Amino acid sequence: MKKVLLFLIDSMMPDVLEQCIAAEKAPGLKFFMERGQYIPDCVTVFPTMTASIDCSLITGVYPDQHKIPGLVWYDPDSKKMINYINGTVPVSKIGLEQCATNVLYDLNDRHLSRKVKTIHEELEEAGFVSGSINVIAHRGHKRHKLYLPPALDAATGFSLREKVSGPTIMSLGTLVRPSLFRPIMWNWSQSAARGYGINDTHAIDVLIEVVLSGKQPDFTLVYLPENDHKLHRAPHEAVQHLSEVDAELVRFLDSYPSWEQVLEENVCIFISDHGQTLIGESTDHNVDLMSLLSTFSIHRLGANVSANDEIVLCNNERMTYLYPLRENDLMKIVEAVSSDVRIDLISWKEGDRVKVRRGGTDKILSFCKGGMYQDIYGQSWSFEGDLQVLDVKLDGDQLLFDDYPDAFSRLYGSLFSQSIPVIVLTAAQGYEFVSEAAPTHLGGGSHGSLHKRDSLVPLLIAGASRHFLSPARLVDVKDFILQELGVAIPKQ
């Protein structure tokens, strides 16, 4: 039976992939595309931020089931803001020790719901071996020692001493090292300047060594992050950025006697977590939430949540969670932000329903699970109000999405990832939210929203025994892999 390799290329977009191949700058990806199935409009998860998407990729469900709301969110039980390392200044204000604990331990062992199983857990319970390289969502049945560089150990107060949960073969930069016959030879990709190995070069170094060692797992998930970092800074050079990712893939292909042998021995799957939207250059393209909500007392980063606070604001770039801390304040907050046309959508919960308002208007749409209308993904819904709010068309009893793919399931998944009152904001095209110390990207790329530019990703599969069914969603990738490996899919 073939092994399965899943490459997660951060912020890879279908148009850029096609341009890169057409320009003869991606021989590796071209090799796989010519021999496989290409789907340019696979729908990812909302918010379009790495943490929630990675958890959906390994569990096959939306955040309302796996319970990871986003990259930044508020935990009412601990009364703390959760930040899985997003933004240098926010992390320093919250505290590196707390944020490192969030991403290394809390995400997998405390926040990710035990009611769902990861692909690593399911495979290894079925007698297979699973692997993870540089992915922050990696829960498995094994415990791995953490190797902290002295400077990072000191910066986190010498407090990170627990072992890390993961599959049998696991690498997390230089912090978690796979158990192989020989260590990965040191090079500059493992330096502090390169994120202690959380980069494309080290990920491919590890993958090559895993294969050469004879310990290649039946399934391996490999995360390649650098395309995202470069697009945030220089989106106009997107083709060049992706060609640099391809050069690393070519290095992997060249580690085999022939490229064809790679597909003789492996099913190779390539997917992205999200796209990116070009942000305007003027300061007007930063939607200042602190100003819009100036009549409320907003919790300050790094401070304890106090009785005087009225809102906790969790900025996820082109998406933001607003948490009302006082009863009856929710609609006041909705009204405070609804007049700004730079805010695309404002969403909140009422009982089992999702309410959505278009920014700068009075148009509202309300929907809930169950009913006479079905979307193209087979989910049933009922609705009231204006479908134009989410650019939804009705064809008989079928709901069709355009600007906001799989909008009902994805918004529901976000809002019901927590049981507490919460408001979800998304920014209009070309805009990004700014708040206390949050990273901004004027003239660069950003993501997080429900819009199709942030939400449609390419899916490329080569060497598989079957076709991936369309319309495609990222949450369906897990079951596809289990089927390829002959693992029975448990009933939900």
Side-chain angles (χ1 to χ4, degrees), residues 23-85:
E24 300 291 334
K25 291 188 174 182
L29 289 165
K30 180 181 179 181
F31 169 80
F32 291 111
M33 186 173 286
E34 288 177 343
R35 290 158 178 80
Q37 178 188 8
Y38 172 56
I39 299 173
D41 55 356
C42 179
V43 182
T44 190
V45 177
F46 175 77
T48 44
M49 301 296 286
T50 298
S52 46
I53 297 168
D54 286 6
C55 289
S56 287
L57 186 61
I58 66 169
T59 62
V61 296
Y62 283 118
D64 59 307
Q65 295 182 60
H66 67 57
K67 302 302 180 184
I68 303 295
L71 197 57
V72 183
W73 55 282
Y74 173 63
D75 177 16
D77 295 330
S78 64
K79 293 190 175 181
K80 290 182 178 180
M81 184 181 293
I82 305 301
N83 183 312
Y84 299 125
I85 310 292

Side-chain angles (χ1 to χ4, degrees), residues 246-350:
D246 191 86
E248 295 294 341
L249 295 173
V250 166
R251 195 160 61 86
F252 167 67
L253 286 164
D254 286 343
S255 70
Y256 282 73
S258 71
W259 287 16
E260 286 73 19
Q261 188 174 330
V262 176
L263 291 182
E264 291 171 6
E265 299 179 6
N266 302 280
V267 177
C268 294
I269 305 173
F270 301 85
I271 197 169
S272 175
D273 46 1
H274 50 71
Q276 286 204 18
T277 292
L278 179 64
I279 305 302
E281 297 183 0
S282 71
T283 55
D284 180 62
H285 290 89
N286 278 340
V287 183
D288 188 347
L289 292 174
M290 306 292 281
S291 176
L292 287 174
L293 298 167
S294 60
T295 59
F296 297 89
S297 176
I298 301 174
H299 165 257
R300 309 297 295 191
L301 289 179
N304 293 326
V305 174
S306 73
N308 294 324
D309 292 329
E310 295 173 303
I311 300 174
V312 176
L313 191 161
C314 294
N315 188 329
N316 286 269
E317 299 183 13
R318 287 184 20 84
M319 178 271 191
T320 292
Y321 283 117
L322 299 177
Y323 295 90
L325 298 179
R326 297 186 180 180
E327 195 173 351
N328 302 321
D329 270 1
L330 186 144
M331 290 311 300
K332 295 177 185 176
I333 296 169
V334 168
E335 290 300 324
V337 297
S338 291
S339 62
D340 197 321
V341 295
R342 298 174 301 170
I343 297 179
D344 191 23
L345 303 171
I346 305 103
S347 308
W348 64 98
K349 295 176 287 191
E350 284 189 4

